[in-house]
Amino acid sequence: MSQPAFLDAIRDSYDTVAADYVKLIKGPETLDPVSRAMIDGFAELLRAGDRGPVADLGCGPGWFTDRLAATGLDAFGVDLSPGMVDQARQAYPHLRFEVGSMTALDLPDGTLGGVLAFFSTHHTPPSHLPVVYAEFHRVLAPGGLLLLGGHTGNDEHHSPQQAYGGHPVSYESHLVPADRIAQLLTAAGFTVTARLEQVTDTGRTHAILLARRAATG
């Protein structure tokens, strides 16, 4: 069965921009202190619970995979773009990176202690978010943790023609309210336990949500 067209657009676009993305976009060290604390707190919770491997989904060039691994976690990355996975493997040859889609993860049920999806779901059309969140829930073990971060907005839809060095892109961005993200996570079986919402200096909004899969079921 063929995959949805939006996945082809995301994969092809990030394959095109991968090398310049790494040059132009900075890693976790440039995050604001509060967002950085959310990621580090997520890692601390996973270590304290000895919960098992953590997957960085939509890992891009592997920056956050490496940050999690540096804390002692068994972290690996998955990205739809082979070009991005190549960048990650070159930068972090000691870590594992795989090509895969968040809509159909090649991972067994209930095997992960944690899932990080950091600014990697906003290209997904809202109608497909329940599928993605259901996959996050499926691969997490009971009691497993999800840290989901991304751009938010009032049902905004953007279709840029160029990005990251002027390369042509065909992906789209879908910015939905943080409240709806929380509702969809709850519908997928998660309990949202912490939530951060921020407005950047440029006026863009984003949210980071920490959620837990129930300890049973």
Side-chain angles (χ1 to χ4, degrees):
M1 185 172 65
S2 62
Q3 65 180 4
F6 77 88
L7 294 178
D8 294 330
I10 296 169
R11 183 196 63 233
D12 295 345
S13 296
Y14 277 100
D15 279 351
T16 299
V17 305
D20 278 335
Y21 182 98
V22 172
K23 295 175 184 176
L24 296 171
I25 305 300
K26 302 302 181 182
E29 67 278 359
T30 62
L31 281 177
D32 66 275
V34 181
S35 296
R36 209 163 49 236
M38 289 286 284
I39 293 174
D40 292 343
F42 171 67
E44 183 176 348
L45 289 170
L46 291 173
R47 291 196 308 274
D50 192 20
R51 299 178 182 277
V54 55
D56 178 9
L57 302 180
C59 65
W63 293 323
F64 292 96
T65 319
D66 178 64
R67 187 176 185 89
L68 293 174
T71 71
L73 292 170
D74 178 11
F76 66 97
V78 178
D79 199 277
L80 183 63
S81 162
M84 281 294 194
V85 169
D86 285 344
Q87 293 290 329
R89 288 171 175 167
Q90 291 174 34
Y92 309 107
H94 58 293
L95 298 178
R96 177 162 61 100
F97 296 97
E98 302 172 353
V99 176
S101 171
M102 288 185 284
T103 62
L105 293 164
D106 187 19
L107 294 168
D109 295 357
T111 53
L112 299 181
V115 164
L116 175 68
F118 206 68
F119 289 80
S120 58
T121 60
H122 59 280
H123 296 308
T124 303
S127 61
H128 288 264
L129 287 176
V131 174
V132 171
Y133 296 166
E135 276 294 272
F136 294 169
H137 187 273
R138 179 185 67 81
V139 298
L140 279 168
L145 298 176
L146 165 68
L147 190 68
L148 173 66
H151 303 293
T152 57
N154 188 24
D155 291 315
E156 299 167 33
H157 175 216
H158 303 285
S159 300
Q161 302 301 304
Q162 295 180 327
Y164 308 114
H167 296 286
V169 295
S170 56
Y171 58 57
E172 299 179 334
S173 294
H174 306 270
L175 310 184
V176 300
D179 283 345
R180 188 175 310 148
I181 294 172
Q183 291 167 0
L184 290 173
L185 289 174
T186 300
F190 287 101
T191 299
V192 176
T193 59
R195 175 168 156 177
L196 167 70
E197 295 181 61
Q198 290 183 291
V199 181
T200 69
D201 293 339
T202 61
R204 299 185 73 180
T205 59
H206 68 259
I208 303 175
L209 294 90
L210 179 67
R212 184 188 305 273
R213 177 177 170 169
T216 58

